[in-house]
Amino acid sequence: MKYITRFAPSPTGHLHLGHVYSASLAMQAARDTGGLFLLRMEDIDAGRCRPEFELGIYEDLSWLGFKWEEPVRRQSEHMEDYEALISRLNDRDLIYPCFCTRKEIKAEIVRSNAAPHGPEGLVYPGICRGLSDRERQRNFALGKPYALRLNMVKATADIDLATLRFQEQDKGYIQCNPLPFGDIVLARKETPTSYHLSVTFDDAIQGVNHIVRGQDLFPSTHIHRLLQALLGLPTPSYFHHGLISDGKGRRLSKRDKDATIKSLREYGYQPEEVLKMVKYG
Ligand code: GLU
């Protein structure tokens, strides 16, 4: 099978060695199978994404010798697509507006003396799930900020959960269980999408059939598999690779300035040397 893979960074900081590791594995998988390697800018977060980071990504990847298909898909240019997906879910009554502040959610968790933990942290306690139409309209009229949440129980009710699986490289089929995530946020008042919604849709619309990304995103795949089922999208195969750590065994992050490709270039490293640093993970 010819793999169509992608590297999908968010231009919220400079690329570091962990990104290069991920991009190299994806590119290699495409190359080995005579497939395609795509690049996508996951730039939905207008507050945190910056043009200089996006430019830096192109520069770093070119310097390292990566070649990708053009044009690059930039998520910020496709907000209407995501809005249409939200409308489809809304027409099926699978999402609802949540007007809670973080403080209110925390207070409710303390009050109910239950702090259900899902794979991605505290589970939303459902405060706004049962709001009447009138209450919702009143909150909209007041101009309150809101998030659009997936009603998880309703969304999974008509799905045979046993069929929700995906193929993980070297591990076979993984059974998904999105229920413990609770009512996840799929969009917000100011941004008609979320990471989960846009990544799932974009992989499908770009024909990506093999997703290579870090192990940290493994839990998210349970949600993506559910969204694929809800939206009638194909399920790619996955490879969630191990994460690169710094010399002290800590996971590299955007805060590790020394491990950015920009600083390695400035220190005088050559592209081959940088690629060698990630060769064995
Ligand atoms: N945009 C995500 C990130 O930079 C990666 C998304 C993905 O590979 O699914 O962490």
Side-chain angles (χ1 to χ4, degrees):
M1 178 170 191
K2 286 186 184 207
Y3 278 153
I4 301 182
T5 67
R6 48 58 164 190
F7 175 53
S10 300
T12 53
H14 293 294
L15 290 188
H16 57 64
L17 287 172
H19 289 113
V20 175
Y21 180 47
S22 207
S24 328
L25 290 174
M27 198 179 68
Q28 198 56 48
R31 202 178 264 166
D32 288 348
T33 57
L36 299 174
F37 173 72
L38 314 182
L39 175 62
R40 182 168 71 230
M41 286 296 149
E42 302 219 319
D43 58 350
I44 55 171
D45 186 344
R48 291 175 59 226
C49 293
R50 300 225 298 259
E52 63 267 35
F53 291 138
E54 182 170 340
L55 274 179
I57 291 173
Y58 298 131
E59 268 172 33
D60 288 344
L61 291 178
S62 305
W63 179 77
L64 287 165
F66 283 88
K67 292 201 171 37
W68 54 87
E69 301 299 310
E70 296 283 355
V72 170
R73 183 173 170 94
R74 299 176 72 242
Q75 293 188 325
S76 58
E77 291 168 359
H78 298 276
M79 289 299 181
E80 312 84 58
D81 291 357
Y82 311 131
E83 254 167 304
L85 299 174
I86 289 288
S87 304
R88 276 172 62 189
L89 295 172
N90 193 40
D91 290 346
R92 289 158 65 187
D93 206 19
L94 296 181
I95 51 176
Y96 64 89
C98 163
F99 303 91
C100 295
T101 60
R102 270 171 210 263
K103 218 169 140 189
E104 284 164 340
I105 296 175
K106 279 206 179 126
E108 171 60 18
I109 286 171
V110 171
R111 194 202 58 77
S112 64
N113 204 17
H117 250 277
E120 290 193 323
L122 283 177
V123 170
Y124 177 65
I127 309 164
C128 288
R129 198 185 298 128
L131 287 188
S132 66
D133 264 352
R134 252 183 70 189
E135 284 168 302
R136 285 177 184 164
Q137 291 316 323
R138 208 189 56 198
N139 284 332
F140 284 137
L142 286 170
K144 280 196 178 184
Y146 60 86
L148 294 173
R149 290 184 180 273
L150 184 70
N151 183 329
M152 186 58 86
V153 169
K154 219 168 173 179
T156 47
D158 292 335
I159 292 179
D160 176 4
L161 288 179
T163 63
L164 271 196
R165 354 184 264 161
F166 63 88
Q167 204 169 2
E168 175 74 24
Q169 187 171 304
D170 303 331
K171 293 209 174 97
Y173 280 97
I174 307 284
Q175 183 63 49
C176 293
N177 184 11
L179 277 162
F181 291 83
D183 293 356
I184 51 157
V185 171
L186 286 188
R188 293 188 187 276
K189 183 181 180 184
E190 69 285 4
T191 313
T193 188
S194 56
Y195 160 63
H196 294 310
L197 189 68
S198 35
V199 81
T200 305
F201 178 71
D202 283 8
D203 283 329
I205 198 136
Q206 293 193 282
V208 174
N209 58 12
H210 186 60
I211 293 182
V212 177
R213 62 183 175 198
Q215 185 67 33
D216 52 330
L217 290 169
F218 184 84
S220 299
T221 307
H222 291 244
I223 294 174
H224 302 171
R225 183 64 191 85
L226 171 64
L227 291 174
Q228 286 155 10
L230 290 173
L231 297 165
L233 304 173
T235 302
S237 57
Y238 291 83
F239 175 41
H240 294 92
H241 58 77
L243 302 175
I244 286 209
S245 53
D246 66 7
K248 300 181 190 92
R250 282 180 317 216
R251 193 187 133 192
L252 282 183
S253 79
K254 285 180 180 151
R255 289 181 298 278
D256 293 294
K257 299 276 178 286
D258 286 351
T260 65
I261 308 313
K262 182 172 183 285
S263 50
L264 292 169
R265 282 166 65 180
E266 284 162 8
Y267 287 141
Y269 283 93
Q270 294 304 304
E272 313 75 61
E273 293 174 295
V274 174
L275 288 171
K276 223 180 200 165
M277 287 179 198
V278 299
K279 194 136 190 238
Y280 306 103

